[in-house]
Amino acid sequence: MNLRFLLSESSKPLILGHQNADPDAVCAMMAFARMYRIINPEGTPTLIADDLSRLSNQVIDTFVPGESILEKEGIEGDLVILLDTNSVFQLGPKFQKIPQNPSRTIVIDHHEINPETEVLSDHRVVRSDRSSTCEIMVDLFDQYEIPIDPTTANLLLTGIIFDTRRFYFADIMTLQTAIKLIEHGADYERCIKALLMRPDRSERIARLKAAGRGKIHQIGNWIIVTSKIGAFEASVCRALLDMGADVAIVGGSPSKDVVRISSRSTREFSTATAINLGKDVMEPLGNIIGGEGGGHANAAGANGTKGLDEAIVKSIELISRIVEKEHGSAYES
Ligand SMILES: [Mn+2]
C-alpha cells in the first residue's frame, strides 16, 4: 500500500472508528487526521464514529480541545479509513454502509484477522501482534517519514497506554515505541491522567451499596459474591471482582416486572472450573425469571420479569453442582 499516494490524491477522506470509540480508536483517528493534513494540506478530513466513550471525550478535552468527531450521517468522502476496526459491523448500524469501494478503503487495525477485512478493503495494515492501533500508527509515521509533533505524540501514547492496560500487554517493541513518543514530546504523566476517570457519583454509590449487601458463598476454594442493586449491575460485578470475588452475580429489579442479572468471573475461575457463566448459569436463569439469559464465559447476563431471589439462589446451586461434580474429590481429600 502506498499510503502517501492514496492520501495525496484524496481531498475528502472519511476517518472512521468503531462504535462507542475507545481512546485507542479516537487517538488513532486524531493522529491519522494529522498525518493526512501533513501529506495533503489542501484536503479536509472528516472524523466519524457512532458515539464516543466518556473516557475518549476526556482524552480529546485534554489534548485536542475543540477538535471533534462527528456522529452525523450522510457525509460524502472520496476515501474511507477504518481505524481500530476490521468489519462494518463494528462501525455500528449508522455507519455500516460507508465503506463501499474496496479500492478506496483502508483498514488499520490490530484485532484478530477477520476474513471480512479482505473483502472490505484493498489497503490493509493489520497487525494482530500489536497491542494497539496507535502503536501501528507510530510505525506508519516513521515509514512515511512524517514528523510526530508533541500533541500527536501525546495522543498516540495515550492510545497505547489505554489498550495495553498501562503496559500490562506490552513487548519490547511497544516499550520502544512509547519511549520514542516521549522523545517526541509526549508527557507520560499527562497521558496517564487523561485516562483516569472516577465513575459517576450514582455509580459509586451503587457499587458501595451492593458491596454492603453482598453475600459471600465459599464453594470449594472459590469465593462467589451475590448482591442486589437496581442499577449499574455490570459495574458492581467488576467492583466485586476487584475486591476479591472469583465470581460476582448481581441482580436488580429497577422497576416492577423488570428483572436483570449480571455476572462476571475471573479467568482463573473459568479456566479451572470450565464454568461458562453464559451457558451454564445465565441461560438456565433466564427461564426462572421469565426471560432470556446468555453471554460469554467470564461475563454474562439475563433479563426477565420475575423471580429474582429464586434465580440468585439457583445461580449458587448451579455453580456448586458443577464445581463439586468436577472437583469434589479434590476438595474432600
Ligand atoms: Mn484497539
Side-chain angles (χ1 to χ4, degrees), residues 189-222:
E189 198 180 329
R190 260 185 96 201
C191 296
I192 291 280
K193 282 193 180 146
L195 291 169
L196 292 179
M197 177 173 272
R198 285 189 93 186
D200 278 342
R201 183 188 159 83
S202 51
E203 186 172 344
R204 283 182 278 132
I205 289 177
R207 286 174 161 210
L208 293 164
K209 276 191 186 165
R213 295 176 195 156
K215 288 207 176 102
I216 300 161
H217 311 260
Q218 300 187 56
I219 302 174
N221 287 324
W222 305 108

PDB file of all heavy atoms in Angstrom, residues 189-222:
ATOM      1  N   GLU A 189       2.998  11.537  32.202  1.00  0.00           N
ATOM      2  CA  GLU A 189       2.098  11.759  33.332  1.00  0.00           C
ATOM      3  C   GLU A 189       0.752  12.329  32.869  1.00  0.00           C
ATOM      4  O   GLU A 189      -0.310  11.915  33.349  1.00  0.00           O
ATOM      5  CB  GLU A 189       2.764  12.719  34.316  1.00  0.00           C
ATOM      6  CG  GLU A 189       2.136  12.688  35.681  1.00  0.00           C
ATOM      7  CD  GLU A 189       2.810  13.651  36.659  1.00  0.00           C
ATOM      8  OE1 GLU A 189       4.024  13.896  36.525  1.00  0.00           O
ATOM      9  OE2 GLU A 189       2.091  14.153  37.539  1.00  0.00           O
ATOM     10  N   ARG A 190       0.810  13.252  31.898  1.00  0.00           N
ATOM     11  CA  ARG A 190      -0.445  13.817  31.377  1.00  0.00           C
ATOM     12  C   ARG A 190      -1.287  12.752  30.675  1.00  0.00           C
ATOM     13  O   ARG A 190      -2.510  12.750  30.766  1.00  0.00           O
ATOM     14  CB  ARG A 190      -0.136  14.933  30.365  1.00  0.00           C
ATOM     15  CG  ARG A 190      -0.250  16.320  30.944  1.00  0.00           C
ATOM     16  CD  ARG A 190      -0.041  17.348  29.835  1.00  0.00           C
ATOM     17  NE  ARG A 190      -1.293  17.818  29.261  1.00  0.00           N
ATOM     18  CZ  ARG A 190      -1.378  18.376  28.050  1.00  0.00           C
ATOM     19  NH1 ARG A 190      -0.309  18.508  27.289  1.00  0.00           N
ATOM     20  NH2 ARG A 190      -2.546  18.791  27.619  1.00  0.00           N
ATOM     21  N   CYS A 191      -0.598  11.858  29.970  1.00  0.00           N
ATOM     22  CA  CYS A 191      -1.321  10.781  29.271  1.00  0.00           C
ATOM     23  C   CYS A 191      -2.034   9.879  30.281  1.00  0.00           C
ATOM     24  O   CYS A 191      -3.198   9.517  30.111  1.00  0.00           O
ATOM     25  CB  CYS A 191      -0.363   9.947  28.421  1.00  0.00           C
ATOM     26  SG  CYS A 191       0.413  10.867  27.091  1.00  0.00           S
ATOM     27  N   ILE A 192      -1.321   9.515  31.345  1.00  0.00           N
ATOM     28  CA  ILE A 192      -1.918   8.675  32.385  1.00  0.00           C
ATOM     29  C   ILE A 192      -3.124   9.399  32.996  1.00  0.00           C
ATOM     30  O   ILE A 192      -4.203   8.821  33.157  1.00  0.00           O
ATOM     31  CB  ILE A 192      -0.880   8.376  33.508  1.00  0.00           C
ATOM     32  CG1 ILE A 192       0.217   7.455  32.983  1.00  0.00           C
ATOM     33  CG2 ILE A 192      -1.551   7.818  34.739  1.00  0.00           C
ATOM     34  CD1 ILE A 192      -0.136   5.991  32.936  1.00  0.00           C
ATOM     35  N   LYS A 193      -2.955  10.682  33.292  1.00  0.00           N
ATOM     36  CA  LYS A 193      -4.049  11.431  33.928  1.00  0.00           C
ATOM     37  C   LYS A 193      -5.244  11.569  32.993  1.00  0.00           C
ATOM     38  O   LYS A 193      -6.392  11.565  33.446  1.00  0.00           O
ATOM     39  CB  LYS A 193      -3.561  12.813  34.368  1.00  0.00           C
ATOM     40  CG  LYS A 193      -2.756  12.734  35.650  1.00  0.00           C
ATOM     41  CD  LYS A 193      -2.535  14.101  36.262  1.00  0.00           C
ATOM     42  CE  LYS A 193      -1.714  13.973  37.548  1.00  0.00           C
ATOM     43  NZ  LYS A 193      -0.825  15.120  37.745  1.00  0.00           N
ATOM     44  N   ALA A 194      -4.973  11.683  31.697  1.00  0.00           N
ATOM     45  CA  ALA A 194      -6.078  11.807  30.737  1.00  0.00           C
ATOM     46  C   ALA A 194      -6.960  10.564  30.757  1.00  0.00           C
ATOM     47  O   ALA A 194      -8.126  10.607  30.378  1.00  0.00           O
ATOM     48  CB  ALA A 194      -5.526  12.036  29.336  1.00  0.00           C
ATOM     49  N   LEU A 195      -6.383   9.453  31.234  1.00  0.00           N
ATOM     50  CA  LEU A 195      -7.129   8.192  31.230  1.00  0.00           C
ATOM     51  C   LEU A 195      -7.730   7.841  32.590  1.00  0.00           C
ATOM     52  O   LEU A 195      -8.342   6.798  32.743  1.00  0.00           O
ATOM     53  CB  LEU A 195      -6.209   7.048  30.774  1.00  0.00           C
ATOM     54  CG  LEU A 195      -5.805   7.098  29.297  1.00  0.00           C
ATOM     55  CD1 LEU A 195      -4.704   6.094  29.006  1.00  0.00           C
ATOM     56  CD2 LEU A 195      -6.996   6.844  28.401  1.00  0.00           C
ATOM     57  N   LEU A 196      -7.519   8.710  33.568  1.00  0.00           N
ATOM     58  CA  LEU A 196      -8.102   8.439  34.881  1.00  0.00           C
ATOM     59  C   LEU A 196      -9.494   9.038  34.941  1.00  0.00           C
ATOM     60  O   LEU A 196      -9.680  10.218  34.649  1.00  0.00           O
ATOM     61  CB  LEU A 196      -7.256   9.054  35.997  1.00  0.00           C
ATOM     62  CG  LEU A 196      -5.874   8.455  36.231  1.00  0.00           C
ATOM     63  CD1 LEU A 196      -5.169   9.213  37.352  1.00  0.00           C
ATOM     64  CD2 LEU A 196      -5.983   6.975  36.577  1.00  0.00           C
ATOM     65  N   MET A 197     -10.440   8.239  35.321  1.00  0.00           N
ATOM     66  CA  MET A 197     -11.797   8.772  35.444  1.00  0.00           C
ATOM     67  C   MET A 197     -12.538   8.031  36.531  1.00  0.00           C
ATOM     68  O   MET A 197     -12.641   6.807  36.496  1.00  0.00           O
ATOM     69  CB  MET A 197     -12.531   8.617  34.118  1.00  0.00           C
ATOM     70  CG  MET A 197     -13.961   9.085  34.184  1.00  0.00           C
ATOM     71  SD  MET A 197     -14.714   9.059  32.563  1.00  0.00           S
ATOM     72  CE  MET A 197     -14.253  10.680  31.991  1.00  0.00           C
ATOM     73  N   ARG A 198     -13.021   8.765  37.491  1.00  0.00           N
ATOM     74  CA  ARG A 198     -13.839   8.119  38.519  1.00  0.00           C
ATOM     75  C   ARG A 198     -15.225   7.908  37.934  1.00  0.00           C
ATOM     76  O   ARG A 198     -15.734   8.770  37.220  1.00  0.00           O
ATOM     77  CB  ARG A 198     -13.981   9.031  39.739  1.00  0.00           C
ATOM     78  CG  ARG A 198     -12.742   9.102  40.578  1.00  0.00           C
ATOM     79  CD  ARG A 198     -13.041   9.839  41.857  1.00  0.00           C
ATOM     80  NE  ARG A 198     -13.418   8.905  42.916  1.00  0.00           N
ATOM     81  CZ  ARG A 198     -13.848   9.291  44.110  1.00  0.00           C
ATOM     82  NH1 ARG A 198     -13.994  10.575  44.366  1.00  0.00           N
ATOM     83  NH2 ARG A 198     -14.131   8.405  45.026  1.00  0.00           N
ATOM     84  N   PRO A 199     -15.873   6.821  38.282  1.00  0.00           N
ATOM     85  CA  PRO A 199     -17.253   6.654  37.842  1.00  0.00           C
ATOM     86  C   PRO A 199     -18.115   7.776  38.432  1.00  0.00           C
ATOM     87  O   PRO A 199     -17.733   8.405  39.421  1.00  0.00           O
ATOM     88  CB  PRO A 199     -17.660   5.301  38.424  1.00  0.00           C
ATOM     89  CG  PRO A 199     -16.403   4.617  38.810  1.00  0.00           C
ATOM     90  CD  PRO A 199     -15.384   5.681  39.067  1.00  0.00           C
ATOM     91  N   ASP A 200     -19.285   7.991  37.822  1.00  0.00           N
ATOM     92  CA  ASP A 200     -20.239   8.969  38.364  1.00  0.00           C
ATOM     93  C   ASP A 200     -20.561   8.643  39.815  1.00  0.00           C
ATOM     94  O   ASP A 200     -20.509   7.492  40.223  1.00  0.00           O
ATOM     95  CB  ASP A 200     -21.566   8.884  37.593  1.00  0.00           C
ATOM     96  CG  ASP A 200     -21.479   9.655  36.309  1.00  0.00           C
ATOM     97  OD1 ASP A 200     -20.570  10.494  36.182  1.00  0.00           O
ATOM     98  OD2 ASP A 200     -22.324   9.401  35.431  1.00  0.00           O
ATOM     99  N   ARG A 201     -20.980   9.681  40.529  1.00  0.00           N
ATOM    100  CA  ARG A 201     -21.348   9.509  41.924  1.00  0.00           C
ATOM    101  C   ARG A 201     -22.406   8.409  42.108  1.00  0.00           C
ATOM    102  O   ARG A 201     -22.283   7.552  42.989  1.00  0.00           O
ATOM    103  CB  ARG A 201     -21.908  10.862  42.417  1.00  0.00           C
ATOM    104  CG  ARG A 201     -22.285  10.899  43.865  1.00  0.00           C
ATOM    105  CD  ARG A 201     -23.009  12.227  44.156  1.00  0.00           C
ATOM    106  NE  ARG A 201     -23.809  12.098  45.355  1.00  0.00           N
ATOM    107  CZ  ARG A 201     -23.326  12.228  46.575  1.00  0.00           C
ATOM    108  NH1 ARG A 201     -22.065  12.535  46.749  1.00  0.00           N
ATOM    109  NH2 ARG A 201     -24.113  12.064  47.615  1.00  0.00           N
ATOM    110  N   SER A 202     -23.431   8.399  41.252  1.00  0.00           N
ATOM    111  CA  SER A 202     -24.511   7.411  41.405  1.00  0.00           C
ATOM    112  C   SER A 202     -23.970   5.994  41.216  1.00  0.00           C
ATOM    113  O   SER A 202     -24.396   5.051  41.890  1.00  0.00           O
ATOM    114  CB  SER A 202     -25.639   7.685  40.417  1.00  0.00           C
ATOM    115  OG  SER A 202     -25.109   7.817  39.118  1.00  0.00           O
ATOM    116  N   GLU A 203     -23.016   5.851  40.310  1.00  0.00           N
ATOM    117  CA  GLU A 203     -22.435   4.537  40.071  1.00  0.00           C
ATOM    118  C   GLU A 203     -21.583   4.101  41.266  1.00  0.00           C
ATOM    119  O   GLU A 203     -21.610   2.939  41.680  1.00  0.00           O
ATOM    120  CB  GLU A 203     -21.591   4.600  38.794  1.00  0.00           C
ATOM    121  CG  GLU A 203     -21.052   3.253  38.365  1.00  0.00           C
ATOM    122  CD  GLU A 203     -20.383   3.299  36.998  1.00  0.00           C
ATOM    123  OE1 GLU A 203     -20.587   4.277  36.243  1.00  0.00           O
ATOM    124  OE2 GLU A 203     -19.639   2.347  36.694  1.00  0.00           O
ATOM    125  N   ARG A 204     -20.860   5.051  41.852  1.00  0.00           N
ATOM    126  CA  ARG A 204     -20.039   4.703  43.020  1.00  0.00           C
ATOM    127  C   ARG A 204     -20.927   4.314  44.195  1.00  0.00           C
ATOM    128  O   ARG A 204     -20.633   3.377  44.947  1.00  0.00           O
ATOM    129  CB  ARG A 204     -19.131   5.884  43.383  1.00  0.00           C
ATOM    130  CG  ARG A 204     -17.940   5.997  42.442  1.00  0.00           C
ATOM    131  CD  ARG A 204     -17.009   7.119  42.828  1.00  0.00           C
ATOM    132  NE  ARG A 204     -17.462   8.412  42.348  1.00  0.00           N
ATOM    133  CZ  ARG A 204     -17.534   9.513  43.089  1.00  0.00           C
ATOM    134  NH1 ARG A 204     -17.196   9.479  44.364  1.00  0.00           N
ATOM    135  NH2 ARG A 204     -17.948  10.637  42.570  1.00  0.00           N
ATOM    136  N   ILE A 205     -22.060   5.022  44.348  1.00  0.00           N
ATOM    137  CA  ILE A 205     -22.977   4.678  45.449  1.00  0.00           C
ATOM    138  C   ILE A 205     -23.555   3.284  45.218  1.00  0.00           C
ATOM    139  O   ILE A 205     -23.637   2.472  46.148  1.00  0.00           O
ATOM    140  CB  ILE A 205     -24.076   5.756  45.594  1.00  0.00           C
ATOM    141  CG1 ILE A 205     -23.426   7.021  46.163  1.00  0.00           C
ATOM    142  CG2 ILE A 205     -25.229   5.270  46.479  1.00  0.00           C
ATOM    143  CD1 ILE A 205     -24.346   8.199  46.314  1.00  0.00           C
ATOM    144  N   ALA A 206     -23.902   2.977  43.971  1.00  0.00           N
ATOM    145  CA  ALA A 206     -24.435   1.646  43.669  1.00  0.00           C
ATOM    146  C   ALA A 206     -23.410   0.577  44.022  1.00  0.00           C
ATOM    147  O   ALA A 206     -23.743  -0.450  44.643  1.00  0.00           O
ATOM    148  CB  ALA A 206     -24.806   1.555  42.184  1.00  0.00           C
ATOM    149  N   ARG A 207     -22.149   0.821  43.676  1.00  0.00           N
ATOM    150  CA  ARG A 207     -21.094  -0.155  43.979  1.00  0.00           C
ATOM    151  C   ARG A 207     -20.958  -0.365  45.487  1.00  0.00           C
ATOM    152  O   ARG A 207     -20.854  -1.499  45.965  1.00  0.00           O
ATOM    153  CB  ARG A 207     -19.751   0.336  43.440  1.00  0.00           C
ATOM    154  CG  ARG A 207     -19.622   0.226  41.937  1.00  0.00           C
ATOM    155  CD  ARG A 207     -18.323   0.876  41.504  1.00  0.00           C
ATOM    156  NE  ARG A 207     -17.941   0.414  40.183  1.00  0.00           N
ATOM    157  CZ  ARG A 207     -16.671   0.314  39.762  1.00  0.00           C
ATOM    158  NH1 ARG A 207     -15.690   0.665  40.556  1.00  0.00           N
ATOM    159  NH2 ARG A 207     -16.392  -0.123  38.568  1.00  0.00           N
ATOM    160  N   LEU A 208     -20.965   0.743  46.216  1.00  0.00           N
ATOM    161  CA  LEU A 208     -20.782   0.647  47.664  1.00  0.00           C
ATOM    162  C   LEU A 208     -21.969  -0.032  48.336  1.00  0.00           C
ATOM    163  O   LEU A 208     -21.795  -0.880  49.221  1.00  0.00           O
ATOM    164  CB  LEU A 208     -20.550   2.048  48.252  1.00  0.00           C
ATOM    165  CG  LEU A 208     -19.221   2.687  47.826  1.00  0.00           C
ATOM    166  CD1 LEU A 208     -19.223   4.182  48.101  1.00  0.00           C
ATOM    167  CD2 LEU A 208     -18.050   2.015  48.543  1.00  0.00           C
ATOM    168  N   LYS A 209     -23.185   0.343  47.910  1.00  0.00           N
ATOM    169  CA  LYS A 209     -24.378  -0.295  48.499  1.00  0.00           C
ATOM    170  C   LYS A 209     -24.385  -1.783  48.223  1.00  0.00           C
ATOM    171  O   LYS A 209     -24.645  -2.593  49.113  1.00  0.00           O
ATOM    172  CB  LYS A 209     -25.645   0.312  47.875  1.00  0.00           C
ATOM    173  CG  LYS A 209     -26.107   1.592  48.519  1.00  0.00           C
ATOM    174  CD  LYS A 209     -27.507   1.907  47.990  1.00  0.00           C
ATOM    175  CE  LYS A 209     -27.973   3.255  48.496  1.00  0.00           C
ATOM    176  NZ  LYS A 209     -29.141   3.733  47.736  1.00  0.00           N
ATOM    177  N   ALA A 210     -24.113  -2.145  46.971  1.00  0.00           N
ATOM    178  CA  ALA A 210     -24.145  -3.563  46.609  1.00  0.00           C
ATOM    179  C   ALA A 210     -23.085  -4.341  47.376  1.00  0.00           C
ATOM    180  O   ALA A 210     -23.323  -5.471  47.802  1.00  0.00           O
ATOM    181  CB  ALA A 210     -23.948  -3.730  45.102  1.00  0.00           C
ATOM    182  N   ALA A 211     -21.925  -3.718  47.582  1.00  0.00           N
ATOM    183  CA  ALA A 211     -20.884  -4.409  48.342  1.00  0.00           C
ATOM    184  C   ALA A 211     -21.355  -4.619  49.780  1.00  0.00           C
ATOM    185  O   ALA A 211     -21.162  -5.685  50.369  1.00  0.00           O
ATOM    186  CB  ALA A 211     -19.586  -3.608  48.312  1.00  0.00           C
ATOM    187  N   GLY A 212     -22.019  -3.612  50.361  1.00  0.00           N
ATOM    188  CA  GLY A 212     -22.530  -3.719  51.724  1.00  0.00           C
ATOM    189  C   GLY A 212     -23.570  -4.812  51.877  1.00  0.00           C
ATOM    190  O   GLY A 212     -23.643  -5.457  52.921  1.00  0.00           O
ATOM    191  N   ARG A 213     -24.361  -5.018  50.840  1.00  0.00           N
ATOM    192  CA  ARG A 213     -25.414  -6.043  50.897  1.00  0.00           C
ATOM    193  C   ARG A 213     -24.943  -7.405  50.421  1.00  0.00           C
ATOM    194  O   ARG A 213     -25.731  -8.343  50.368  1.00  0.00           O
ATOM    195  CB  ARG A 213     -26.558  -5.640  49.951  1.00  0.00           C
ATOM    196  CG  ARG A 213     -27.285  -4.410  50.327  1.00  0.00           C
ATOM    197  CD  ARG A 213     -28.312  -4.131  49.224  1.00  0.00           C
ATOM    198  NE  ARG A 213     -28.809  -2.784  49.354  1.00  0.00           N
ATOM    199  CZ  ARG A 213     -29.332  -2.077  48.359  1.00  0.00           C
ATOM    200  NH1 ARG A 213     -29.430  -2.618  47.148  1.00  0.00           N
ATOM    201  NH2 ARG A 213     -29.776  -0.870  48.556  1.00  0.00           N
ATOM    202  N   GLY A 214     -23.681  -7.492  49.995  1.00  0.00           N
ATOM    203  CA  GLY A 214     -23.202  -8.713  49.359  1.00  0.00           C
ATOM    204  C   GLY A 214     -23.232  -9.931  50.265  1.00  0.00           C
ATOM    205  O   GLY A 214     -23.004  -9.822  51.473  1.00  0.00           O
ATOM    206  N   LYS A 215     -23.541 -11.087  49.696  1.00  0.00           N
ATOM    207  CA  LYS A 215     -23.476 -12.362  50.439  1.00  0.00           C
ATOM    208  C   LYS A 215     -22.315 -13.156  49.867  1.00  0.00           C
ATOM    209  O   LYS A 215     -22.152 -13.263  48.657  1.00  0.00           O
ATOM    210  CB  LYS A 215     -24.761 -13.159  50.224  1.00  0.00           C
ATOM    211  CG  LYS A 215     -25.962 -12.592  50.942  1.00  0.00           C
ATOM    212  CD  LYS A 215     -26.978 -13.712  51.246  1.00  0.00           C
ATOM    213  CE  LYS A 215     -28.131 -13.162  52.054  1.00  0.00           C
ATOM    214  NZ  LYS A 215     -29.326 -12.929  51.239  1.00  0.00           N
ATOM    215  N   ILE A 216     -21.515 -13.693  50.788  1.00  0.00           N
ATOM    216  CA  ILE A 216     -20.316 -14.406  50.356  1.00  0.00           C
ATOM    217  C   ILE A 216     -20.565 -15.902  50.444  1.00  0.00           C
ATOM    218  O   ILE A 216     -20.967 -16.411  51.497  1.00  0.00           O
ATOM    219  CB  ILE A 216     -19.124 -14.009  51.255  1.00  0.00           C
ATOM    220  CG1 ILE A 216     -18.892 -12.495  51.135  1.00  0.00           C
ATOM    221  CG2 ILE A 216     -17.870 -14.776  50.876  1.00  0.00           C
ATOM    222  CD1 ILE A 216     -18.079 -11.911  52.269  1.00  0.00           C
ATOM    223  N   HIS A 217     -20.354 -16.603  49.347  1.00  0.00           N
ATOM    224  CA  HIS A 217     -20.544 -18.054  49.306  1.00  0.00           C
ATOM    225  C   HIS A 217     -19.200 -18.678  49.001  1.00  0.00           C
ATOM    226  O   HIS A 217     -18.583 -18.312  48.003  1.00  0.00           O
ATOM    227  CB  HIS A 217     -21.530 -18.438  48.200  1.00  0.00           C
ATOM    228  CG  HIS A 217     -22.802 -17.625  48.208  1.00  0.00           C
ATOM    229  ND1 HIS A 217     -23.980 -18.082  48.740  1.00  0.00           N
ATOM    230  CD2 HIS A 217     -23.059 -16.378  47.737  1.00  0.00           C
ATOM    231  CE1 HIS A 217     -24.914 -17.144  48.606  1.00  0.00           C
ATOM    232  NE2 HIS A 217     -24.383 -16.098  47.996  1.00  0.00           N
ATOM    233  N   GLN A 218     -18.763 -19.583  49.855  1.00  0.00           N
ATOM    234  CA  GLN A 218     -17.484 -20.245  49.572  1.00  0.00           C
ATOM    235  C   GLN A 218     -17.753 -21.632  49.028  1.00  0.00           C
ATOM    236  O   GLN A 218     -18.287 -22.488  49.719  1.00  0.00           O
ATOM    237  CB  GLN A 218     -16.638 -20.299  50.839  1.00  0.00           C
ATOM    238  CG  GLN A 218     -16.345 -18.890  51.353  1.00  0.00           C
ATOM    239  CD  GLN A 218     -15.364 -18.893  52.507  1.00  0.00           C
ATOM    240  OE1 GLN A 218     -14.258 -19.411  52.388  1.00  0.00           O
ATOM    241  NE2 GLN A 218     -15.776 -18.331  53.628  1.00  0.00           N
ATOM    242  N   ILE A 219     -17.410 -21.822  47.782  1.00  0.00           N
ATOM    243  CA  ILE A 219     -17.640 -23.111  47.119  1.00  0.00           C
ATOM    244  C   ILE A 219     -16.282 -23.661  46.730  1.00  0.00           C
ATOM    245  O   ILE A 219     -15.605 -23.083  45.884  1.00  0.00           O
ATOM    246  CB  ILE A 219     -18.538 -22.918  45.882  1.00  0.00           C
ATOM    247  CG1 ILE A 219     -19.876 -22.279  46.284  1.00  0.00           C
ATOM    248  CG2 ILE A 219     -18.755 -24.245  45.166  1.00  0.00           C
ATOM    249  CD1 ILE A 219     -20.776 -21.918  45.132  1.00  0.00           C
ATOM    250  N   GLY A 220     -15.899 -24.788  47.363  1.00  0.00           N
ATOM    251  CA  GLY A 220     -14.520 -25.233  47.184  1.00  0.00           C
ATOM    252  C   GLY A 220     -13.613 -24.112  47.669  1.00  0.00           C
ATOM    253  O   GLY A 220     -13.835 -23.535  48.731  1.00  0.00           O
ATOM    254  N   ASN A 221     -12.623 -23.773  46.840  1.00  0.00           N
ATOM    255  CA  ASN A 221     -11.748 -22.655  47.219  1.00  0.00           C
ATOM    256  C   ASN A 221     -12.222 -21.323  46.660  1.00  0.00           C
ATOM    257  O   ASN A 221     -11.557 -20.310  46.821  1.00  0.00           O
ATOM    258  CB  ASN A 221     -10.319 -22.915  46.716  1.00  0.00           C
ATOM    259  CG  ASN A 221      -9.634 -23.988  47.539  1.00  0.00           C
ATOM    260  OD1 ASN A 221      -9.846 -24.079  48.752  1.00  0.00           O
ATOM    261  ND2 ASN A 221      -8.850 -24.814  46.881  1.00  0.00           N
ATOM    262  N   TRP A 222     -13.352 -21.359  45.973  1.00  0.00           N
ATOM    263  CA  TRP A 222     -13.792 -20.155  45.259  1.00  0.00           C
ATOM    264  C   TRP A 222     -14.684 -19.259  46.106  1.00  0.00           C
ATOM    265  O   TRP A 222     -15.437 -19.731  46.943  1.00  0.00           O
ATOM    266  CB  TRP A 222     -14.539 -20.545  43.981  1.00  0.00           C
ATOM    267  CG  TRP A 222     -13.743 -21.442  43.100  1.00  0.00           C
ATOM    268  CD1 TRP A 222     -13.946 -22.775  42.879  1.00  0.00           C
ATOM    269  CD2 TRP A 222     -12.584 -21.079  42.328  1.00  0.00           C
ATOM    270  NE1 TRP A 222     -12.990 -23.278  42.015  1.00  0.00           N
ATOM    271  CE2 TRP A 222     -12.150 -22.262  41.668  1.00  0.00           C
ATOM    272  CE3 TRP A 222     -11.876 -19.893  42.134  1.00  0.00           C
ATOM    273  CZ2 TRP A 222     -11.038 -22.269  40.820  1.00  0.00           C
ATOM    274  CZ3 TRP A 222     -10.777 -19.904  41.295  1.00  0.00           C
ATOM    275  CH2 TRP A 222     -10.356 -21.076  40.654  1.00  0.00           C
TER     276      TRP A 222
END
